[in-house]
Amino acid sequence: MMNSENFTIEIDGDGLALVTWDMPGRSMNVFTQEVMGEFDAMVDEMVADAAVKGVVITSGKTGSFTGGADLKMLSGMFESFEAKKRENHDEAIRELFDGAGRMSWIWRKLETCGKPFVAAINGTCMGGGFELALACHGRVAATSAKMGLPEVKVGIFPGAGGTQRVPRLTDTQSALQMLLKGSTLTADKAKGMKLIDAVVSQDDLVATAKEMLKSGLSAVKPWDQKDFKLPSGPVYSPQGAQVWPAVASLYRKETNDNYPGARAIVKCVYEGLLVPMDTALTIEQRYFTEVLQTTEAAMMIRSLFVSMQELNKGARRPKNVPASDLKTVGIVGAGFMGAGIAYVAAQGGLDVVLIDRDQEAADKGKAHSRKLMEGLVSKGRATKEQAEAVLAKITATPDYDALKNADLVVEAVFEDRDVKAEVTRKVAAVLRKDAIYASNTSTIPITSLAEAFEDQERFIGIHFFSPVDRMMLTEVILGEKTGDKALAVALDFVRAIRKTPIVVNDTRGFFANRCVLRYMSEAYDMLVEGVPPAMIENAAKFAGMPVGPLALNDETAVDLSLKIMKATMRDMGEDSVDPRHFKLVEQMNGDGRLGRKAGKGFYDYPAKPAKKSLWPGLKDMFEQQPADQIDFEELKQRFLATMALEAARTMEEGVVVDPREADVGSILGFGYAPYTGGTISYIDGMGTEAFVALCEKLAAKHGERFEPTPLLREMAKTGETFYGRFPPEGSKAEAA
Ligand code: NAD
């Protein structure tokens, strides 16, 4: 039997073949064109070899079966389609269609080849890999294995039979939930949904799979047999009539109709369940071909897969600095943020010295990690030993001497220039001369804070978002004198704690907060105009934002908004804040409506389990416009455009230099409508010319804040894109 580059085959005395997928030189298996070719040939061989009675497929990588398809293969397919379509449109479409279905038809061949195949899922099994498992005749998973079809999250959908086999194994409602959310399932959950036949320990995996084959597993799938019944009954049946009307609302709730990939899932399931499997797979292939051509798919794959991976791998890291050997991190200020940073650092395997003004305050900061670890233990996501090991990494103390071995210190004390300066001097007195000092300030320019530190090359900003354990973005801020080594160490630190960094030049609000302030400020404008508050919140959500601007303002606190406004007016002049906005926020503060923490803000927060609701008094503050006279689409555009325009300004000013960072930063930092691919891709996706026209329209109606910038106007003349104008450096990271 032939082994190939990526697969080894062993046949035992019972005629059972064990196929092990193990890609050389990769930490994880992924499907590339080459792998699919080898897999295809392997299936043919198994069928041709009379000695083979059944086949087990597993992976040679510890803890993972596969991450799924190499998404760059898809973007590659799409690029060649774009290039070809001008010459010969029909042929280009045919090629794209064939490419889109390649994986699906190999899986179908396996499913109908006449010999039984069992997938032995030893670990993470995502996307195309899980679709392969679903095409097998039996599926055994290790207890720790996780699986799912996350394609919808990058703008596409499971196009290798996923939309057909899942709803043929489990009820339609659960199938659609899983497909539309792109959720990851534990082995037990997958078994509960009948997507997996057995869950066993890692050691028994292959033996159990072979047992299934020996006990006469059928090589004909239920849906290829005559008497097959769908788990939720036929689409056109009393049962179907119970299920399908609810699907539209589920779909709307998950997507607000913004994601072509999600829309295609509903169509594939609905249409596919009416017909036999081969026709169903053809339907899926057609929709897949269609979705691959959408702007949303192209933008989402680029930002949420390719760019994110490149940034995580250190696309912006200075190449001349050797990898830093980070062992100990000091954190000064064990408050809300410092406690969170200590937790993620300890989770990332670093030793942490957590300092506050006294022992009690330092201990309180460490207690935050204890609480989070206990939560993980109670959910079964960590063992008690693991929790203890993480906590043992954190030393809480008021003693600055404990920082003498630190490789990096992150300061997270009060947002007060003088307090920060004093802390900086105290740390500098004990810090090693090669160690790096970082501030987590959210508003004070790094360049000015660095003045309290003698060697300013070693001073940098690392700006976290709250809650630190859940927010995946960090902004690394370069002061004027920040050196390469500080940048490299900061990026190595961010990598160690498994967050995504963007590198930003020093400016008021850095990147994310600048854009977010525009979001909230646009909502203030709408309030002042008399747009009903519920309409404001809904427009933002329909535009694709995860949280409405008023709800977000309540989370970040309305007193903070007032503080920021006052600081802005102090530094930039009285005119820098709209007096109507100031009056609104001042009034809210005066009434004690400070946001969620006060139990009242733009919303009222009654005791649980009651839900928050918009404060009725808000409507009385401004004369309300009749809702039917408001252009709802335009409200959506205003939100997306004002943030995109701010992002464009940051690029024009050189605050952000790489469009990938603006895009990824906007999605991870403030949830900017992910289907757009981010703030800059929103502009590039519609075309600079169309964006400038949109801004001009909005500026004429709503004021000069929407005026396109000079650079945008210039780019619009030639149709230049941001990715064309500011080509990302070395953007060719490997998949997975
Ligand atoms: P916090 O008030 O919760 O915590 C500050 C901590 O610093 C307190 O525990 C305090 O005891 C300690 N501290 C004060 N002076 C000290 C000193 N001289 N020595 C040692 N410890 C001292 O504040 P926070 O919300 O955690 O913010 C901390 C920093 O992080 C600020 O610069 C803030 O702007 C920034 N930040 C906050 C957020 C946020 O959402 N809260 C987000 C990003 C950045």
Side-chain angles (χ1 to χ4, degrees):
M1 186 60 55
M2 286 236 304
N3 289 328
S4 57
E5 171 95 3
N6 297 296
F7 298 94
T8 53
I9 303 168
E10 300 158 70
I11 303 175
D12 69 11
D14 297 321
L16 302 181
L18 175 65
V19 176
T20 306
W21 179 17
D22 196 349
M23 294 174 84
R26 292 234 197 195
S27 59
M28 202 188 262
N29 293 323
V30 290
F31 289 106
T32 59
Q33 298 289 5
E34 186 198 8
V35 168
M36 285 198 286
E38 288 180 15
F39 192 91
D40 196 9
M42 181 276 292
V43 175
D44 289 341
E45 263 187 65
M46 293 291 122
V47 174
D49 189 337
V52 173
K53 306 285 178 249
V55 184
V56 175
I57 303 175
T58 193
S59 141
K61 307 286 185 206
T62 312
S64 87
F65 188 90
T66 173
D70 180 348
L71 287 183
K72 290 215 313 227
M73 173 173 85
L74 283 183
S75 17
M77 244 161 63
F78 186 65
E79 275 160 27
S80 75
F81 165 74
E82 283 291 304
K84 194 150 195 182
K85 112 180 151 184
R86 265 156 269 152
E87 292 160 32
N88 186 337
H89 191 265
D90 286 357
E91 200 183 304
I93 290 272
R94 163 59 61 184
E95 245 176 47
L96 187 68
F97 178 73
D98 289 344
R102 183 169 185 216
M103 184 184 267
S104 187
W105 293 110
I106 300 175
W107 294 179
R108 182 61 178 158
K109 178 164 93 178
L110 176 155
E111 188 172 50
T112 54
C113 76
K115 285 186 183 175
F117 279 66
V118 177
I121 305 170
N122 60 315
T124 310
C125 180
M126 305 307 277
F130 192 47
E131 293 180 292
L132 162 63
L134 294 169
C136 287
H137 305 89
R139 285 164 294 284
V140 192
T143 331
S144 59
K146 291 202 164 57
M147 53 213 82
L149 299 170
E151 286 85 343
V152 75
K153 292 188 189 164
V154 288
I156 51 175
F157 71 89
T163 67
Q164 300 309 314
R165 293 190 180 93
V166 174
R168 280 171 173 77
L169 287 165
T170 197
D171 67 280
T172 309
Q173 187 96 21
S174 313
L176 281 167
Q177 287 268 7
M178 173 200 167
L179 294 165
L180 287 176
K181 285 198 167 124
S183 30
T184 302
L185 310 173
T186 60
D188 282 334
K189 174 94 206 254
K191 180 155 183 279
M193 288 174 71
K194 300 196 170 66
L195 300 178
I196 291 288
D197 302 308
V199 179
V200 299
S201 76
Q202 190 71 251
D203 294 342
D204 296 335
L205 196 62
V206 171
T208 309
K210 286 191 171 178
E211 272 317 308
M212 281 177 86
L213 290 169
K214 281 188 212 158
S215 59
L217 181 68
S218 170
V220 184
K221 282 304 247 314
W223 43 83
D224 289 322
Q225 296 174 17
K226 254 208 157 79
D227 57 354
F228 176 66
K229 289 194 175 55
L230 287 164
S232 295
V235 173
Y236 292 110
S237 69
Q239 279 164 291
Q242 298 273 322
V243 174
W244 281 96
V247 170
S249 70
L250 170 72
Y251 162 70
R252 293 264 160 187
K253 184 164 166 269
E254 291 296 332
T255 65
N256 282 313
D257 202 24
N258 284 323
Y259 296 80
R263 199 177 313 144
I265 287 174
V266 177
K267 290 179 179 176
C268 285
V269 175
Y270 181 77
E271 294 171 32
L273 292 186
L274 296 170
V275 293
M277 190 52 117
D278 287 303
T279 314
L281 291 175
T282 306
I283 291 174
E284 186 187 70
Q285 186 179 2
R286 287 193 183 129
Y287 280 122
F288 199 50
T289 310
E290 189 178 290
V291 166
L292 280 180
Q293 295 171 65
T294 61
T295 306
E296 288 87 344
M299 298 299 153
M300 284 177 81
I301 290 178
R302 180 171 70 188
S303 290
L304 290 167
F305 184 77
V306 181
S307 300
M308 194 132 80
Q309 205 169 73
E310 287 166 351
L311 297 180
N312 286 341
K313 286 191 173 175
R316 293 293 311 283
R317 191 184 183 285
K319 312 271 176 291
N320 56 343
V321 184
S324 32
D325 185 20
L326 277 178
K327 289 201 179 70
T328 306
V329 176
I331 293 156
V332 186
F336 181 62
M337 295 302 286
I341 301 168
Y343 171 74
V344 294
Q347 275 275 24
L350 299 166
D351 289 324
V352 177
V353 176
L354 181 60
I355 294 208
D356 208 296
R357 288 178 292 187
D358 50 46
Q359 186 66 45
E360 198 187 337
D363 287 342
K364 194 167 160 237
K366 179 169 173 176
H368 176 68
S369 291
R370 185 173 301 281
K371 197 169 139 230
L372 290 177
M373 284 315 298
E374 280 169 2
L376 290 185
V377 172
S378 74
K379 285 191 204 112
R381 286 169 54 201
T383 63
K384 279 204 167 117
E385 294 71 36
Q386 283 166 332
E388 283 311 318
V390 168
L391 290 172
K393 290 202 152 288
I394 306 176
T395 307
T397 172
D399 180 8
Y400 280 72
D401 274 345
L403 295 174
K404 64 178 185 296
N405 290 323
D407 305 296
L408 166 73
V409 166
V410 181
E411 168 274 307
V413 299
F414 298 141
E415 188 73 342
D416 179 301
R417 197 181 279 283
D418 298 333
V419 176
K420 285 193 190 296
E422 191 203 321
V423 166
T424 304
R425 283 190 285 270
K426 276 164 91 173
V427 173
V430 292
L431 197 63
R432 264 190 358 239
K433 292 293 168 238
D434 61 339
I436 303 301
Y437 187 98
S439 173
N440 179 46
T441 179
S442 34
T443 55
I444 310 174
I446 290 298
T447 306
S448 68
L449 288 178
E451 284 163 13
F453 197 80
E454 196 182 334
D455 182 5
Q456 295 185 29
E457 279 197 21
R458 286 156 52 214
F459 198 103
I460 194 163
I462 305 183
H463 181 223
F464 285 85
F465 295 82
S466 81
V468 177
D469 57 308
R470 290 217 302 272
M471 294 295 287
M472 294 315 295
L473 185 72
T474 52
E475 285 177 310
V476 172
I477 321 291
L478 299 176
E480 263 166 34
K481 297 192 178 147
T482 302
D484 275 358
K485 162 128 192 235
L487 174 57
V489 169
L491 291 175
D492 291 344
F493 171 61
V494 172
R495 187 170 185 166
I497 60 175
R498 293 184 282 271
K499 302 224 178 272
T500 299
I502 62 171
V503 180
V504 179
N505 287 316
D506 206 10
T507 178
R508 172 177 291 272
F510 310 132
F511 171 72
N513 286 346
R514 259 180 79 163
C515 298
V516 168
L517 285 178
R518 290 280 166 183
Y519 181 47
M520 296 198 266
S521 158
E522 199 58 31
Y524 299 156
D525 273 307
M526 291 177 187
L527 279 175
V528 171
E529 288 163 24
V531 179
M535 215 167 165
I536 297 176
E537 295 289 88
N538 284 335
K541 284 191 223 152
F542 274 66
M545 298 301 290
V547 183
L550 303 175
L552 182 66
N553 203 160
D554 274 357
E555 297 298 331
T556 56
V558 188
D559 50 337
L560 181 65
S561 303
L562 187 63
K563 258 194 216 156
I564 294 176
M565 283 180 175
K566 283 183 177 161
T568 309
M569 283 155 71
R570 188 189 60 220
D571 296 353
M572 323 264 295
E574 288 284 319
D575 298 348
S576 58
V577 173
D578 185 325
R580 299 166 311 165
H581 295 187
F582 187 76
K583 195 172 149 218
L584 163 66
V585 170
E586 209 179 26
Q587 200 169 332
M588 298 283 292
N589 272 268
D591 296 344
R593 305 203 70 92
L594 307 183
R596 182 190 280 278
K597 65 179 179 186
K600 54 182 189 172
F602 292 102
Y603 284 75
D604 283 321
Y605 298 86
K608 281 185 180 168
K611 287 200 170 138
K612 70 174 180 194
S613 56
L614 276 159
W615 171 45
L618 197 52
K619 286 203 300 292
D620 304 331
M621 288 172 80
F622 308 97
E623 194 183 330
Q624 299 291 286
Q625 288 186 51
D628 59 0
Q629 280 167 35
I630 297 168
D631 185 341
F632 191 67
E633 278 307 307
E634 193 181 274
L635 296 181
K636 288 163 62 181
Q637 289 172 336
R638 283 168 67 179
F639 282 129
L640 296 185
T642 194
M643 288 184 273
L645 198 49
E646 191 66 18
R649 287 188 197 108
T650 65
M651 293 215 63
E652 187 160 352
E653 292 163 19
V655 170
V656 173
V657 298
D658 184 327
R660 292 174 299 185
E661 296 182 298
D663 273 341
V664 172
S666 59
I667 297 176
L668 295 187
F670 47 98
Y672 190 83
Y675 65 89
T676 62
T679 39
I680 291 298
S681 284
Y682 172 73
I683 302 175
D684 277 6
M686 76 169 76
T688 328
E689 211 180 339
F691 182 71
V692 165
L694 172 64
C695 290
E696 279 169 346
K697 179 193 92 171
L698 294 174
K701 219 167 145 186
H702 299 287
E704 60 183 22
R705 64 182 180 281
F706 282 108
E707 280 298 331
T709 64
L711 179 66
L712 272 165
R713 285 188 198 283
E714 183 197 320
M715 286 166 64
K717 277 192 206 130
T718 54
E720 197 176 15
T721 62
F722 277 91
Y723 279 78
R725 174 103 183 190
F726 303 94
E729 212 182 296
S731 59
K732 49 178 182 309
E734 285 289 292

